[in-house]
Amino acid sequence: MMNKMELLYEGKAKKVYSTQHPERLVVEYKDDATAFNGQKKGSISGKGIINNQMSNRLMEYLEQKGIPTHFVEELSERETLVKKVTIIPLEVIVRNIAAGSFSKRYGVEEGFVFSEPTIEFSYKNDGLNDPLMNEYHAVSMGLASQQEVETIERYAFAINEILKAFWETCGITLVDFKLEFGRLRDGSIVLADEISPDTSRLWDSKTGEKLDKDRFRRDLGSVEEAYEEVMKRLNEHLQ
Ligand code: ADP
Ligand code: UDP
């Protein structure tokens, strides 16, 4: 049994602890919710439990489909043992349908279905408000090599195909999502952080109802219920 040792980092949604094993960390999911780069703060009761379990189930599923991830073992409702990585400071966003900042930036109506999935990077830097960054910037700044960027893009689009198809079986449309990748000690790239309704836009396929963190961001109400609904459908459809 791996134990939490030192609190290394407390972020907006999770705490990260060292363990006895130099290449393993424990992440602990909180109920805290923030939006608009921390300007809006609140709490979604039970979110930490749902995001922990959902992220783990989805990462296990992705592993089965050949995507390497940081997931090792779920330790408790809110705690998971993961492989320690050096996070590549890029938020990798894949979109199938226009929404959120994309709609705002480019004047595209929310709900516009792209002819093919698209991808963008943001520089993961809270002080700068996570500015948009193209792959040339990322390589020139030394954040990732050209080869790593190519690997990340390949994984990100493959993850999109796998998750889009899976959520569809749950009656959920995968609109967009954010991924983070990291390097293991041997330099190989793996999917890290989380996949949850905090980091994905998920719309009910029939009604278009939002079943994700936009309910919190936009004060739509029934936030907890939406997270629970997504988890319920995942449990029904993931063997
Ligand atoms: P934020 O830093 O945006 O507030 P969180 O509250 O989710 O986000 O904090 C979790 C932190 O842990 C993030 O900075 C994330 O990049 C980092 N992280 C996620 N997975 C790993 C991992 N396997 N190894 C090292 N760091 C990780
Ligand atoms: N996202 C995220 N963390 C961020 C920014 C975005 O998880 O710091 C997710 C968000 O939940 C959505 C997708 O990435 O599923 C695209 O978000 P967008 O760029 O539209 O930004 P937002 O509208 O959330 O500001």
Side-chain angles (χ1 to χ4, degrees), residues 52-92:
N52 181 41
Q53 295 177 351
M54 189 178 300
S55 193
N56 292 342
R57 299 296 307 279
L58 291 174
M59 290 211 192
E60 275 177 327
Y61 185 65
L62 290 169
E63 287 271 1
Q64 286 169 22
K65 305 267 179 188
I67 308 287
T69 79
H70 73 166
F71 176 71
V72 178
E73 186 191 356
E74 194 165 291
L75 300 177
S76 73
E77 276 187 330
R78 291 178 185 271
E79 296 167 314
T80 293
L81 188 67
V82 299
K83 294 176 184 168
K84 179 179 174 178
V85 302
T86 307
I87 291 284
I88 294 170
L90 294 172
E91 300 208 327
V92 180

Short mmCIF file of all heavy atoms in Angstrom, two decimals, residues 52-92:
data_model
loop_
_atom_site.label_atom_id
_atom_site.label_comp_id
_atom_site.label_asym_id
_atom_site.label_seq_id
_atom_site.Cartn_x
_atom_site.Cartn_y
_atom_site.Cartn_z
N ASN A 52 -12.83 11.61 -9.71
CA ASN A 52 -11.79 10.61 -9.47
C ASN A 52 -12.17 9.30 -10.15
O ASN A 52 -11.40 8.75 -10.96
CB ASN A 52 -11.62 10.41 -7.96
CG ASN A 52 -10.53 9.41 -7.61
OD1 ASN A 52 -9.46 9.40 -8.23
ND2 ASN A 52 -10.80 8.55 -6.64
N GLN A 53 -13.38 8.83 -9.88
CA GLN A 53 -13.78 7.53 -10.40
C GLN A 53 -13.96 7.56 -11.92
O GLN A 53 -13.55 6.64 -12.63
CB GLN A 53 -15.07 7.07 -9.69
CG GLN A 53 -14.79 6.84 -8.21
CD GLN A 53 -16.02 6.45 -7.39
OE1 GLN A 53 -17.15 6.51 -7.88
NE2 GLN A 53 -15.79 6.08 -6.14
N MET A 54 -14.54 8.65 -12.42
CA MET A 54 -14.77 8.74 -13.86
C MET A 54 -13.45 8.80 -14.63
O MET A 54 -13.24 8.10 -15.62
CB MET A 54 -15.61 9.98 -14.18
CG MET A 54 -16.06 10.01 -15.62
SD MET A 54 -17.09 11.44 -16.01
CE MET A 54 -18.46 11.22 -14.90
N SER A 55 -12.55 9.62 -14.14
CA SER A 55 -11.26 9.76 -14.79
C SER A 55 -10.52 8.41 -14.82
O SER A 55 -9.95 8.02 -15.84
CB SER A 55 -10.44 10.81 -14.03
OG SER A 55 -9.34 11.18 -14.79
N ASN A 56 -10.59 7.71 -13.71
CA ASN A 56 -9.90 6.41 -13.64
C ASN A 56 -10.51 5.38 -14.59
O ASN A 56 -9.78 4.66 -15.28
CB ASN A 56 -9.91 5.88 -12.21
CG ASN A 56 -9.05 6.73 -11.28
OD1 ASN A 56 -8.21 7.49 -11.75
ND2 ASN A 56 -9.28 6.62 -9.99
N ARG A 57 -11.84 5.34 -14.62
CA ARG A 57 -12.50 4.39 -15.52
C ARG A 57 -12.16 4.70 -16.98
O ARG A 57 -11.90 3.81 -17.77
CB ARG A 57 -14.02 4.41 -15.31
CG ARG A 57 -14.52 4.04 -13.91
CD ARG A 57 -14.21 2.63 -13.50
NE ARG A 57 -14.67 1.64 -14.47
CZ ARG A 57 -15.91 1.19 -14.56
NH1 ARG A 57 -16.85 1.63 -13.75
NH2 ARG A 57 -16.23 0.28 -15.47
N LEU A 58 -12.18 6.00 -17.30
CA LEU A 58 -11.90 6.38 -18.69
C LEU A 58 -10.44 6.13 -19.05
O LEU A 58 -10.13 5.69 -20.16
CB LEU A 58 -12.27 7.85 -18.92
CG LEU A 58 -13.78 8.15 -18.89
CD1 LEU A 58 -14.02 9.66 -19.00
CD2 LEU A 58 -14.52 7.42 -20.01
N MET A 59 -9.54 6.37 -18.11
CA MET A 59 -8.12 6.11 -18.41
C MET A 59 -7.85 4.62 -18.57
O MET A 59 -7.09 4.22 -19.46
CB MET A 59 -7.22 6.75 -17.36
CG MET A 59 -7.23 8.28 -17.47
SD MET A 59 -5.68 9.02 -16.99
CE MET A 59 -6.17 10.75 -16.91
N GLU A 60 -8.50 3.80 -17.74
CA GLU A 60 -8.37 2.34 -17.91
C GLU A 60 -8.85 1.92 -19.30
O GLU A 60 -8.22 1.10 -19.97
CB GLU A 60 -9.25 1.61 -16.88
CG GLU A 60 -8.63 1.40 -15.54
CD GLU A 60 -9.62 0.73 -14.57
OE1 GLU A 60 -10.83 0.96 -14.64
OE2 GLU A 60 -9.14 -0.03 -13.72
N TYR A 61 -9.97 2.50 -19.69
CA TYR A 61 -10.56 2.20 -21.01
C TYR A 61 -9.60 2.63 -22.12
O TYR A 61 -9.37 1.89 -23.08
CB TYR A 61 -11.90 2.93 -21.11
CG TYR A 61 -12.70 2.64 -22.36
CD1 TYR A 61 -13.21 1.37 -22.61
CD2 TYR A 61 -12.97 3.66 -23.27
CE1 TYR A 61 -13.96 1.12 -23.74
CE2 TYR A 61 -13.74 3.41 -24.40
CZ TYR A 61 -14.22 2.14 -24.64
OH TYR A 61 -14.97 1.89 -25.76
N LEU A 62 -9.02 3.82 -21.99
CA LEU A 62 -8.07 4.31 -23.00
C LEU A 62 -6.84 3.41 -23.07
O LEU A 62 -6.32 3.12 -24.15
CB LEU A 62 -7.67 5.75 -22.70
CG LEU A 62 -8.78 6.80 -22.93
CD1 LEU A 62 -8.36 8.15 -22.34
CD2 LEU A 62 -9.10 6.96 -24.42
N GLU A 63 -6.37 2.96 -21.89
CA GLU A 63 -5.21 2.04 -21.85
C GLU A 63 -5.51 0.77 -22.65
O GLU A 63 -4.68 0.31 -23.44
CB GLU A 63 -4.86 1.65 -20.41
CG GLU A 63 -4.21 2.75 -19.58
CD GLU A 63 -2.69 2.78 -19.68
OE1 GLU A 63 -2.09 1.95 -20.41
OE2 GLU A 63 -2.09 3.67 -19.04
N GLN A 64 -6.74 0.25 -22.46
CA GLN A 64 -7.14 -0.96 -23.20
C GLN A 64 -7.09 -0.72 -24.70
O GLN A 64 -6.88 -1.64 -25.47
CB GLN A 64 -8.58 -1.35 -22.85
CG GLN A 64 -8.77 -1.96 -21.49
CD GLN A 64 -10.27 -2.06 -21.14
OE1 GLN A 64 -11.12 -2.07 -22.03
NE2 GLN A 64 -10.57 -2.13 -19.86
N LYS A 65 -7.31 0.53 -25.09
CA LYS A 65 -7.32 0.88 -26.51
C LYS A 65 -5.95 1.36 -26.99
O LYS A 65 -5.84 1.93 -28.08
CB LYS A 65 -8.36 1.98 -26.76
CG LYS A 65 -9.76 1.63 -26.29
CD LYS A 65 -10.58 1.02 -27.40
CE LYS A 65 -11.97 0.66 -26.91
NZ LYS A 65 -12.73 -0.10 -27.90
N GLY A 66 -4.93 1.23 -26.13
CA GLY A 66 -3.57 1.50 -26.58
C GLY A 66 -3.02 2.89 -26.28
O GLY A 66 -1.95 3.25 -26.77
N ILE A 67 -3.75 3.68 -25.47
CA ILE A 67 -3.23 5.01 -25.10
C ILE A 67 -2.54 4.92 -23.74
O ILE A 67 -3.17 4.55 -22.75
CB ILE A 67 -4.39 6.04 -24.99
CG1 ILE A 67 -5.27 6.05 -26.25
CG2 ILE A 67 -3.86 7.43 -24.62
CD1 ILE A 67 -4.64 6.68 -27.46
N PRO A 68 -1.26 5.27 -23.65
CA PRO A 68 -0.59 5.20 -22.34
C PRO A 68 -1.06 6.34 -21.43
O PRO A 68 -1.17 7.49 -21.87
CB PRO A 68 0.90 5.35 -22.68
CG PRO A 68 0.94 6.05 -23.99
CD PRO A 68 -0.33 5.71 -24.72
N THR A 69 -1.36 6.02 -20.17
CA THR A 69 -1.82 7.04 -19.21
C THR A 69 -1.03 6.93 -17.91
O THR A 69 -0.31 5.96 -17.69
CB THR A 69 -3.32 6.88 -18.88
OG1 THR A 69 -3.47 5.82 -17.93
CG2 THR A 69 -4.16 6.57 -20.11
N HIS A 70 -1.25 7.91 -17.03
CA HIS A 70 -0.55 7.92 -15.73
C HIS A 70 -1.24 7.02 -14.71
O HIS A 70 -0.70 6.78 -13.64
CB HIS A 70 -0.41 9.35 -15.20
CG HIS A 70 -1.66 9.98 -14.71
ND1 HIS A 70 -1.66 11.13 -13.94
CD2 HIS A 70 -2.97 9.65 -14.86
CE1 HIS A 70 -2.91 11.47 -13.64
NE2 HIS A 70 -3.72 10.60 -14.18
N PHE A 71 -2.43 6.50 -15.02
CA PHE A 71 -3.24 5.78 -14.03
C PHE A 71 -2.54 4.51 -13.54
O PHE A 71 -2.04 3.72 -14.33
CB PHE A 71 -4.60 5.42 -14.62
CG PHE A 71 -5.45 4.59 -13.70
CD1 PHE A 71 -6.00 5.15 -12.56
CD2 PHE A 71 -5.67 3.25 -13.95
CE1 PHE A 71 -6.78 4.40 -11.69
CE2 PHE A 71 -6.45 2.48 -13.09
CZ PHE A 71 -7.01 3.05 -11.96
N VAL A 72 -2.53 4.33 -12.22
CA VAL A 72 -1.99 3.09 -11.64
C VAL A 72 -3.09 2.35 -10.87
O VAL A 72 -3.42 1.22 -11.20
CB VAL A 72 -0.78 3.35 -10.72
CG1 VAL A 72 -0.27 2.04 -10.10
CG2 VAL A 72 0.34 4.05 -11.48
N GLU A 73 -3.67 3.01 -9.85
CA GLU A 73 -4.61 2.30 -8.99
C GLU A 73 -5.46 3.28 -8.21
O GLU A 73 -4.94 4.26 -7.66
CB GLU A 73 -3.79 1.45 -7.99
CG GLU A 73 -4.60 0.55 -7.12
CD GLU A 73 -3.77 -0.06 -5.98
OE1 GLU A 73 -2.55 0.15 -5.91
OE2 GLU A 73 -4.38 -0.73 -5.14
N GLU A 74 -6.75 3.00 -8.14
CA GLU A 74 -7.63 3.83 -7.31
C GLU A 74 -7.44 3.41 -5.86
O GLU A 74 -7.58 2.22 -5.54
CB GLU A 74 -9.08 3.61 -7.75
CG GLU A 74 -10.03 4.66 -7.20
CD GLU A 74 -11.36 4.62 -7.93
OE1 GLU A 74 -11.41 5.00 -9.12
OE2 GLU A 74 -12.34 4.19 -7.31
N LEU A 75 -7.13 4.35 -4.97
CA LEU A 75 -6.84 4.00 -3.58
C LEU A 75 -8.06 4.17 -2.69
O LEU A 75 -8.21 3.48 -1.70
CB LEU A 75 -5.70 4.88 -3.05
CG LEU A 75 -4.36 4.78 -3.79
CD1 LEU A 75 -3.36 5.76 -3.20
CD2 LEU A 75 -3.80 3.36 -3.73
N SER A 76 -8.89 5.14 -3.02
CA SER A 76 -10.11 5.41 -2.24
C SER A 76 -11.04 6.23 -3.10
O SER A 76 -10.72 6.53 -4.25
CB SER A 76 -9.77 6.17 -0.96
OG SER A 76 -9.45 7.51 -1.27
N GLU A 77 -12.18 6.62 -2.52
CA GLU A 77 -13.16 7.42 -3.27
C GLU A 77 -12.55 8.63 -3.96
O GLU A 77 -12.94 8.99 -5.05
CB GLU A 77 -14.24 7.93 -2.32
CG GLU A 77 -15.36 6.96 -2.04
CD GLU A 77 -16.48 7.60 -1.23
OE1 GLU A 77 -16.22 8.54 -0.43
OE2 GLU A 77 -17.63 7.17 -1.40
N ARG A 78 -11.62 9.28 -3.27
CA ARG A 78 -11.07 10.53 -3.79
C ARG A 78 -9.59 10.46 -4.16
O ARG A 78 -9.02 11.46 -4.61
CB ARG A 78 -11.23 11.66 -2.75
CG ARG A 78 -12.65 12.08 -2.52
CD ARG A 78 -12.74 13.15 -1.43
NE ARG A 78 -14.14 13.45 -1.15
CZ ARG A 78 -14.84 14.38 -1.80
NH1 ARG A 78 -14.27 15.12 -2.72
NH2 ARG A 78 -16.11 14.58 -1.49
N GLU A 79 -8.96 9.31 -3.89
CA GLU A 79 -7.50 9.24 -4.05
C GLU A 79 -7.08 8.20 -5.08
O GLU A 79 -7.57 7.07 -5.06
CB GLU A 79 -6.84 8.86 -2.72
CG GLU A 79 -7.03 9.87 -1.63
CD GLU A 79 -6.64 9.27 -0.29
OE1 GLU A 79 -7.06 8.12 -0.01
OE2 GLU A 79 -5.92 9.93 0.46
N THR A 80 -6.12 8.59 -5.89
CA THR A 80 -5.59 7.67 -6.92
C THR A 80 -4.08 7.73 -6.97
O THR A 80 -3.48 8.81 -6.87
CB THR A 80 -6.20 8.04 -8.29
OG1 THR A 80 -7.59 7.76 -8.26
CG2 THR A 80 -5.58 7.24 -9.43
N LEU A 81 -3.50 6.55 -7.12
CA LEU A 81 -2.06 6.44 -7.32
C LEU A 81 -1.78 6.61 -8.81
O LEU A 81 -2.40 5.93 -9.64
CB LEU A 81 -1.59 5.07 -6.84
CG LEU A 81 -0.09 4.83 -6.80
CD1 LEU A 81 0.58 5.70 -5.73
CD2 LEU A 81 0.20 3.35 -6.53
N VAL A 82 -0.88 7.52 -9.14
CA VAL A 82 -0.54 7.76 -10.55
C VAL A 82 0.97 7.72 -10.73
O VAL A 82 1.73 7.85 -9.77
CB VAL A 82 -1.09 9.12 -11.07
CG1 VAL A 82 -2.61 9.18 -10.98
CG2 VAL A 82 -0.44 10.31 -10.35
N LYS A 83 1.37 7.54 -11.99
CA LYS A 83 2.79 7.65 -12.32
C LYS A 83 3.17 9.12 -12.30
O LYS A 83 2.44 9.95 -12.88
CB LYS A 83 3.05 7.08 -13.71
CG LYS A 83 2.81 5.59 -13.79
CD LYS A 83 2.98 5.08 -15.21
CE LYS A 83 2.63 3.61 -15.27
NZ LYS A 83 2.48 3.12 -16.65
N LYS A 84 4.27 9.42 -11.66
CA LYS A 84 4.73 10.81 -11.63
C LYS A 84 5.26 11.19 -13.01
O LYS A 84 6.03 10.45 -13.61
CB LYS A 84 5.86 10.92 -10.60
CG LYS A 84 6.47 12.29 -10.48
CD LYS A 84 7.55 12.23 -9.42
CE LYS A 84 8.32 13.51 -9.31
NZ LYS A 84 9.32 13.39 -8.23
N VAL A 85 4.81 12.32 -13.50
CA VAL A 85 5.33 12.81 -14.78
C VAL A 85 5.80 14.24 -14.62
O VAL A 85 5.46 14.92 -13.66
CB VAL A 85 4.26 12.77 -15.91
CG1 VAL A 85 3.73 11.36 -16.12
CG2 VAL A 85 3.12 13.75 -15.64
N THR A 86 6.61 14.67 -15.58
CA THR A 86 6.88 16.10 -15.73
C THR A 86 5.83 16.61 -16.68
O THR A 86 5.79 16.21 -17.86
CB THR A 86 8.28 16.31 -16.34
OG1 THR A 86 9.21 15.58 -15.55
CG2 THR A 86 8.64 17.79 -16.37
N ILE A 87 4.93 17.41 -16.15
CA ILE A 87 3.82 17.91 -16.97
C ILE A 87 4.37 18.83 -18.07
O ILE A 87 5.19 19.71 -17.80
CB ILE A 87 2.80 18.65 -16.10
CG1 ILE A 87 2.05 17.68 -15.17
CG2 ILE A 87 1.81 19.46 -16.96
CD1 ILE A 87 0.97 16.83 -15.83
N ILE A 88 3.93 18.59 -19.28
CA ILE A 88 4.23 19.51 -20.39
C ILE A 88 3.22 20.64 -20.26
O ILE A 88 2.01 20.39 -20.25
CB ILE A 88 4.12 18.77 -21.74
CG1 ILE A 88 5.24 17.72 -21.78
CG2 ILE A 88 4.20 19.75 -22.91
CD1 ILE A 88 5.14 16.74 -22.91
N PRO A 89 3.67 21.89 -20.09
CA PRO A 89 2.74 22.96 -19.70
C PRO A 89 1.87 23.46 -20.85
O PRO A 89 1.87 24.64 -21.20
CB PRO A 89 3.67 24.04 -19.15
CG PRO A 89 4.94 23.84 -19.88
CD PRO A 89 5.06 22.36 -20.14
N LEU A 90 1.13 22.51 -21.43
CA LEU A 90 0.21 22.84 -22.51
C LEU A 90 -1.16 22.26 -22.17
O LEU A 90 -1.24 21.09 -21.76
CB LEU A 90 0.68 22.22 -23.83
CG LEU A 90 1.98 22.73 -24.42
CD1 LEU A 90 2.39 21.86 -25.62
CD2 LEU A 90 1.86 24.20 -24.85
N GLU A 91 -2.19 23.05 -22.31
CA GLU A 91 -3.55 22.52 -22.24
C GLU A 91 -3.92 22.17 -23.67
O GLU A 91 -3.90 23.03 -24.55
CB GLU A 91 -4.50 23.55 -21.65
CG GLU A 91 -4.08 23.95 -20.25
CD GLU A 91 -5.21 24.41 -19.36
OE1 GLU A 91 -6.16 25.01 -19.88
OE2 GLU A 91 -5.12 24.16 -18.15
N VAL A 92 -4.19 20.90 -23.88
CA VAL A 92 -4.47 20.41 -25.23
C VAL A 92 -5.99 20.28 -25.35
O VAL A 92 -6.60 19.48 -24.63
CB VAL A 92 -3.78 19.04 -25.45
CG1 VAL A 92 -4.07 18.51 -26.84
CG2 VAL A 92 -2.28 19.17 -25.20
#
